[in-house]
Each structure stands twice: as structure tokens, then as C-alpha cells.
Amino acid sequence: MPDELTTTQRRFRAAMANLSTAVNIVTTDGVSGRAGITVSAVCSVTDSPPTLLVCVNQSSYTHDIFRTNGRMAINVLAAHHEDLALQFAGATDVPMLDRFRFEVWDHDRFGIPVVRDAAAVLIGGVGAEFTQGTHTVLFVEVEDVFVDEEAGGLAYFRREFHRIAP
């Protein structure tokens, strides 16, 4: 990518900052190891079969781990998970494996780390993928879903986190 952004790229980024999105931590574990990343680019595709898309930057340390492991959990964060979101966004000095040592994680139930008190958790396998520009779109076929009806949500808008009451 060029050092300087085009006018269209700058405007696009400004427009995307005004797109409110849920904050998610996508996690995996398997032959390529355990990894996770904070992602706002998660979207429902269809409910027949239940499928989500997750966009991951190809330059991310986690990119090839997700693709090789082929199975992941999309942890839709609750209102109080801002610090966790920052850790998995790489905004802290906490190394990857240490990020999974906090009490918030359940490592045993699914073979993939899931956030115990997430607003929702969707677990599935990569059914297809598509590359566009700098990102890979992973189509995750959902096998299991858990929802906490009492949890609030965490949204990202104008480059800041916002808590949403239940």
C-alpha cells in the first residue's frame, strides 16, 4: 500500500469511523496454536445454514493461524470488556499467550477459548474464504451459539468504545 492515502481512502476511513459496529474477540486453538484478535468486521451472512463472515488483515499475526486451525469462536463482547478488547487489539504490552491467562476465559468447554460472560459466543468452522485487497473474508459456519440476555454490548463508533445497556 502506498505511504500516502488517496483522498478516497481518507474519506472511506472517515465514513467507516461513523459506522457503529459490535466489538468482538475472535479466538482459535489447534495445530497452529492459540490466538485471538479484536475484530469489528463481523457480519451475519445467512441463517440457512447459520453463517457469519469475519474479515482478518493478511498482515496480522493471527491470519494464518485462523486459516490453518479452521475453527474459531466469535466472542461478542459485553459492555464491561473494553480492557479485554484493547489487549486483543494489540494496544497493550501483554503477549498473546498471556492474554488468555485471565479468569474471563473458558478453555475447556469447546477446545477454543471463549469469554465466559460475553454477550454472545458463536462457534464454528471456516467453510469458505475470499481475499479482497489486504484482507481475507472467512465464512464461518456456526455450530453452536450462546447468548447472555442480561449482558450489555460494546460498540465501536468514531474510533472509541461505547457501552450499550441491555
Side-chain angles (χ1 to χ4, degrees):
M1 180 169 237
D3 292 334
E4 291 187 35
L5 299 175
T6 66
T7 299
T8 301
Q9 287 172 309
R10 283 193 307 278
R11 288 180 181 163
F12 177 79
R13 287 184 178 191
M16 292 301 96
N18 285 313
L19 177 65
S20 299
T21 60
V23 182
N24 311 277
I25 295 177
V26 180
T27 56
T28 189
D29 202 351
V31 295
S32 289
R34 180 176 289 170
I37 189 171
T38 300
V39 176
S40 59
V42 171
C43 180
S44 168
V45 175
T46 181
D47 67 354
S48 298
T51 305
L52 296 170
L53 65 78
V54 176
C55 299
V56 180
N57 194 313
Q58 294 172 36
S59 68
S60 170
Y61 156 78
T62 63
H63 179 267
D64 290 341
I65 297 172
F66 285 123
R67 291 180 68 223
T68 304
N69 285 349
R71 196 159 178 269
M72 62 189 63
I74 295 90
N75 298 274
V76 181
L77 298 185
H80 63 280
H81 287 137
E82 184 174 335
D83 289 341
L84 194 61
L86 288 169
Q87 287 177 3
F88 280 85
T92 68
D93 293 331
V94 179
M96 179 62 73
L97 292 181
D98 289 346
R99 297 173 192 174
F100 289 105
R101 293 199 173 122
F102 299 101
E103 289 296 317
V104 70
W105 294 104
D106 177 344
H107 297 283
D108 301 322
R109 209 158 139 195
F110 305 102
I112 298 173
V114 298
V115 177
R116 293 180 200 272
D117 59 347
V121 177
L122 300 101
I123 298 165
V126 177
E129 61 180 68
F130 177 79
T131 300
Q132 177 66 33
T134 59
H135 284 65
T136 299
V137 181
L138 303 171
F139 291 87
V140 180
E141 295 176 2
V142 177
E143 303 160 4
D144 222 334
V145 179
F146 300 90
V147 177
D148 180 346
E149 298 290 343
E150 297 182 19
L154 187 62
Y156 198 67
F157 177 71
R158 292 199 174 165
R159 298 178 179 92
E160 293 182 0
F161 292 107
H162 300 273
R163 294 177 180 207
I164 300 172

